[in-house]
């Protein structure tokens, strides 16, 4: 069934899944734009894929592991923290789950 | 590369050519706005070091540093240590990476000199560079028009002669598209040929860094440096890196079969684009190739597959931007990024996954098989890169799928991971048109060779020198 727009509740639900906040103008635009795109991609239903496997990796690589003795490129703690919004005791400060 | 010949002959020093580029940027970039960051002081310091090496070692200085003294610009989604890397987004506006991408490590290790970071669609979400959270970039051919995108700043910088070459990245059309609209050469290598390490991720299963250059020979020279397996990117391939530049010099079109897919010419193409691409196919035939009519699956399916896969991967990749470890809070995302993440969350969500995401991955298999069959019959496939010449700034906002519709002719090759190149094939109403050549996986030498032969014959790649500023 063709849906011309998603409901405000649907849009807000998806935004919540993405941890995004939207203003009213964005909600209005997205309810139409998302429905339009979802409608467009239904064109794929014209193709029979009942015996077709998915391709997730185009060059066919599987199980690529780190080589023995490979030099690890990793950041020092100070480098890793360099862009942090807030640092407490040389660690990232996040929203408190319990009181700090 | 003319620059290297000039440096070797002592016509100019690395410092002089770098300063030349910086003064071109100073003069032209107020209007074009290709650069987000210019690293002038660093560039001059690096150029001085290059000059010392050249003075001490002479021509041998290039033996291990094939790009010594060559100034380049880099799309602002390649992490550069201690240099702001924004992906043209407010979220990463102040982000200073503590590490360097593999591509820029290899380029700078080869002696290339970084001039600055170029504007792009924010997080590479777009085909016009208009979704940049900072400003629009103008097309050097007509300042009222878009340079294309998402590597629009890089394409404009090359066309306006503000650098010798530039790095871009492509998910579907983001190198080839702007190359076409700005009249430069743009190479999208095979997926896994060039490392994605340190590139701000867009759609990880298709992202391919690639150069924007003034000729196919320059593209070969740059590819030689950046291609190859990388321990930091498990999806890079161990397949042999060819000597692209040597192969390009020896290349001949005699005996080569080039497919002309009917469906690529039946979409809504501007007459000027169709005419120039067909004329170019005649030129290729005149140079020894056989042009054969063929067909590929209707591009409308590629648009749908790409839309689903790209949005899904975007929603997953941008989830990491939490504003805690680096970057600004998620409230800073622009509308385009929000739209893409949300569609991706929808197509990946429980209940819709099979209908959208899994379905798209199955059709991806069909698109790959379609190309495999084609390459069992032809060496290359040719078509227009873009359906039209550069559009006026502002036009892109009118469609929620503008990018996908513009990139319609690039999408199947990107989804399948094969290589492709866009090369200038003349001007329609004063604006450049690009022809695309595609070859099977890891056959970059084929499209680079064919492009080189074409460019020697036509000289269209030199049209950029006629741009009036």
């Amino acid at each position: 069934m063709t849906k011309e727009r998603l409901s405000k509740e649907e849009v807000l639900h998806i935004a919540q899944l993405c941890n995004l906040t939207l203003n009213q103008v964005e909600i209005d635009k997205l309810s139409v734009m998302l429905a339009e795109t979802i409608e467009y991609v239904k064109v794929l239903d014209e193709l029979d894929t009942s015996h077709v496997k998915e391709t997730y990796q185009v060059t066919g690589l599987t199980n690529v592991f780190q080589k023995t003795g490979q030099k690890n490129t990793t950041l020092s703690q100070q480098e890793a923290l360099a862009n942090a919004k807030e640092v407490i005791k040389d660690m990232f400060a996040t929203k408190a789950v319990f009181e700090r | 590369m003319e620059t290297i010949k000039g440096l070797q002959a002592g016509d100019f020093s690395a410092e002089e050519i770098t300063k030349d580029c910086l003064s071109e940027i100073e003069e032209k970039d107020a209007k074009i706005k290709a650069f987000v960051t210019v690293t002038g002081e660093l560039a001059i310091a690096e150029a001085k070091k290059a000059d010392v090496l050249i003075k001490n070692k002479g021509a041998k200085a290039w033996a291990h540093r094939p790009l010594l003294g060559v100034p380049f610009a880099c799309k602002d989604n390649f992490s550069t240590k201690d240099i702001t890397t924004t992906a043209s987004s407010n979220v990463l506006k102040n982000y200073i990476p503590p590490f360097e991408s593999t591509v820029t490590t290899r380029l700078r290790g080869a002696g290339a000199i970084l001039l600055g970071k170029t504007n792009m669609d924010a997080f590479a979400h777009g085909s016009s560079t208009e979704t940049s959270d900072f400003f629009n970039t103008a097309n050097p051919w007509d300042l009222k028009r878009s340079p294309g995108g998402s590597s629009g700043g890089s394409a404009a910088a090359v066309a306006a002669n503000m650098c010798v070459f530039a790095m871009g990245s492509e998910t579907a059309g983001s190198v080839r598209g702007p190359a076409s609209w700005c009249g430069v050469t743009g190479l999208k290598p095979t997926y896994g040929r060039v490392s994605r390490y340190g590139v701000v991720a867009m759609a990880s299963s298709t992202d391919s860094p690639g150069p924007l250059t003034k000729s196919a020979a320059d593209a070969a020279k740059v590819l030689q440096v950046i291609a190859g397996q990388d321990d930091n990117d498990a999806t890079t391939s161990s397949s042999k890196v060819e000597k692209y530049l040597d192969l390009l010099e020896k290349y001949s079109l005699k005996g080569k079969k080039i497919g002309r897919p009917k469906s690529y010419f039946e979409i809504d193409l501007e007459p000027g684009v169709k005419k120039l691409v067909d004329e170019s196919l005649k030129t290729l035939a005149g140079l020894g190739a056989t042009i054969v009519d063929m067909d590929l699956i209707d591009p409308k399916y590629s648009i749908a597959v790409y839309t689903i896969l790209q949005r899904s991967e975007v929603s997953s990749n941008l989830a990491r931007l939490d504003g805690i470890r680096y970057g600004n809070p998620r409230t800073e995302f622009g509308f385009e990024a929000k739209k893409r993440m949300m569609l991706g969350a929808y197509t990946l969500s429980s209940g819709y996954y099979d209908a959208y995401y899994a379905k798209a991955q199955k059709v991806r298999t069909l698109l790959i098989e379609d190309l495999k069959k084609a390459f069992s019959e032809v060496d290359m496939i040719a078509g227009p890169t873009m359906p039209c010449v550069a559009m006026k700034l502002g036009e892109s906002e009118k469609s929620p799928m503008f990018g996908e519709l513009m990139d319609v002719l690039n999408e199947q090759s990107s989804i399948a991971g094969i290589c492709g190149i866009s090369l200038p094939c003349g001007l329609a109403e004063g604006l450049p048109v690009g022809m695309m050549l595609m070859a099977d996986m890891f056959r970059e030498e084929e499209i680079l060779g064919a492009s080189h032969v074409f460019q020697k014959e036509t000289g269209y790649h030199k049209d950029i020198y006629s741009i009036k500023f």
Side-chain angles (χ1 to χ4, degrees), chain B residues 75-141:
Chain B
K75 188 176 181 179
D76 207 19
N77 60 347
F78 287 84
S79 300
T80 39
K81 193 173 191 289
D82 301 330
I83 299 166
T84 315
T85 298
T86 67
S88 290
S89 72
N90 283 332
V91 171
L92 295 177
K93 196 175 178 179
N94 308 311
Y95 172 56
I96 301 173
F99 72 111
E100 183 91 13
S101 75
T102 296
V103 164
T104 49
T105 300
R106 288 184 180 179
L107 287 171
R108 295 168 85 182
I113 293 164
L114 179 70
L115 293 165
K117 310 289 292 290
T118 56
N119 197 24
M120 55 187 278
D121 283 291
F123 295 109
H125 298 169
S127 301
S128 66
T129 311
E130 288 168 288
T131 73
S132 164
D133 285 343
F134 305 149
F135 44 77
N136 286 342
T137 295
N139 190 315
W141 288 86

Side-chain angles (χ1 to χ4, degrees), chain B residues 15 24 64 73 162 215 228 255 292 314 317 368 450:
Chain B
E15 188 179 344
E24 291 284 308
H64 299 291
M162 295 191 273
S215 68
V292 292
V314 160
N317 274 328
I368 292 169

